[in-house]
Amino acid sequence: MIPLVTSAAAAVVDGRGARRAKRGHPWIYQDDVAQLTAEPGDLVRVVDRHGAFCCWAIASPASKITLRRVSRIETPPDRSFWSERLRLSIGRRGERAFALTGCARLIHAEADGFPGLTVDRYGEHLVLQATTVWADRVQATLATELLALTRCISALSRADAKGRELEGLPLSVHPLAGEPPAALEVEEGGALRTVDLYRGHKTGLYLDQQDNHWAAREWLHGKVLDLFCGEGGFSLPLALAGCPVTAVDQSRQGLERADAAAARNNLSSSIEWIEGDVFDFLADAEINRVSYDAIVLDPPPFARRRTELAGGLRGYRDLHRRALKLLPIGGRMLSFSCSFHATPADFELTVREAAEEASCSAVILARPGPAQDHPELLELPESRYLKGVLVEKRAG
């Protein structure tokens, strides 16, 4: 069972904090907390200035996000509350939670009701990442319960996320149960991938695009250009579907891992890996009148902060304009943004403006988002960070 933090902890929030809690947003910021008696990681009863109950929350006194809501029911969360929440989280994943050869996200932090905790499954092994004091405190016990529910054989703590520093937590990577292997092979997007559990991105792989890696095989055809290709998440499935792929990225390490995965899947002759700057590559391709039947754009965030939004949107517009110019009429562009501050409307506007500048039209065929095992909490806009568009180029 998940241990409870017991203390005389309590919190009083001002009017804005109370309204935020009662509307359902799971975060209450430091400026909205009038009084807090709690240690980091304590479960606290949150009330407004009149003593009216608002919610139960996890306290992080040193963090800007001082209170993270876990329940709006006045009955205190007990061990059965947490165990039921865990079962619900596993249950909503269905068969994904028990795939022996695949990978899946089992707990997606606040969206599943576990503030600051991510849990991913790779085959028979679990990887946990805790970014709050509370999550760090409960992860070992939680791992034991998860192992019993999923029939996995090991659990690893990837306590190396930079976000831990915001809560004064040390960085480390260590086993929680069993003997997690240094690396293992899983199937992702239809391709075999080698996962480095101890050093790979996040918990080993980026899993939020897993559904889109599969879907791209139906969406895109012909000669494909995969930009910001990373470790080949889109390139490998598309090559398996028979597409010749040119893949570009600046990271030599990522390309080396992608090339090794291509060899493992007998795709070395189907994918050309190019190390270089994507914008430089697009400029050269336009000068040389190179064209592609389909283009994938999956860049890192262009706007990590609100102050970077205007420049980030210009970057997306420029990227889309250059990509559209390399497509024939009827060609398709699959583009994503993981910049939280760029809303779906902002992002789609950059496509429209890019099409105008490229003297063409763009028809939206789909709006892909994160994989189904990465739920989005409706009252937490921050959880809706990944947005995408599949567009077809039409004559202007």
Side-chain angles (χ1 to χ4, degrees), residues 43-273:
L43 179 67
V44 301
R45 187 175 188 269
V46 183
V47 300
D48 65 19
R49 290 185 182 274
H50 304 289
F53 173 77
C54 294
C55 65
W56 290 93
I58 302 299
S60 297
S63 171
K64 289 185 178 179
I65 306 173
T66 303
L67 298 171
R68 297 172 186 261
R69 191 197 76 224
V70 295
S71 174
R72 280 186 285 173
I73 300 172
E74 192 156 2
T75 303
D78 57 13
R79 289 182 174 84
S80 63
F81 168 91
W82 290 109
S83 292
E84 177 61 17
R85 180 162 285 188
L86 183 60
R87 285 192 292 272
L88 288 172
S89 182
I90 299 299
R92 67 175 57 102
R93 269 69 183 184
E95 294 181 0
R96 289 180 185 229
F98 303 97
L100 293 178
T101 59
C103 39
R105 175 145 297 179
L106 303 185
I107 294 179
H108 193 45
E110 274 84 347
D112 283 305
F114 292 88
L117 182 69
T118 295
V119 181
D120 290 334
R121 173 175 185 153
Y122 297 97
E124 296 182 288
H125 306 277
L126 301 178
V127 182
L128 291 80
Q129 192 163 78
T131 57
T132 63
V133 173
W134 175 83
D136 192 68
R137 189 177 297 176
V138 304
Q139 65 174 337
T141 302
L142 181 60
T144 300
E145 194 163 346
L146 278 168
L147 290 172
L149 285 172
T150 61
R151 300 188 295 277
C152 285
I153 61 176
S154 82
L156 177 72
S157 172
R158 281 291 301 270
D160 56 351
K162 289 185 177 180
R164 289 174 60 86
E165 297 172 344
L166 299 175
E167 300 226 349
L169 291 167
L171 304 184
S172 68
V173 178
H174 57 275
L176 294 169
E179 299 181 4
L184 75 157
E185 191 170 77
V186 297
E187 183 179 315
E188 193 276 324
L192 295 175
R193 304 280 300 275
T194 298
V195 185
D196 185 334
L197 296 183
Y198 287 77
R199 297 177 300 175
H201 293 297
K202 299 293 184 179
T203 62
L205 291 176
Y206 289 116
L207 298 183
D208 53 1
Q209 290 278 28
Q210 194 170 184
D211 290 356
N212 297 323
H213 291 163
W214 273 104
R217 300 165 67 151
E218 299 295 326
W219 291 334
L220 308 179
H221 305 283
K223 187 170 68 170
V224 176
L225 175 62
D226 182 9
L227 300 175
F228 307 98
C229 67
E231 295 184 19
F234 282 101
S235 297
L236 296 167
L238 287 167
L240 282 171
C243 298
V245 179
T246 299
V248 184
D249 201 281
Q250 276 192 313
S251 171
R252 175 169 295 183
Q253 283 188 331
L255 291 175
E256 288 174 350
R257 287 191 286 265
D259 189 46
R264 177 66 181 86
N265 289 272
N266 299 314
L267 296 172
S268 295
S269 62
S270 301
I271 307 174
E272 179 188 11
W273 306 105

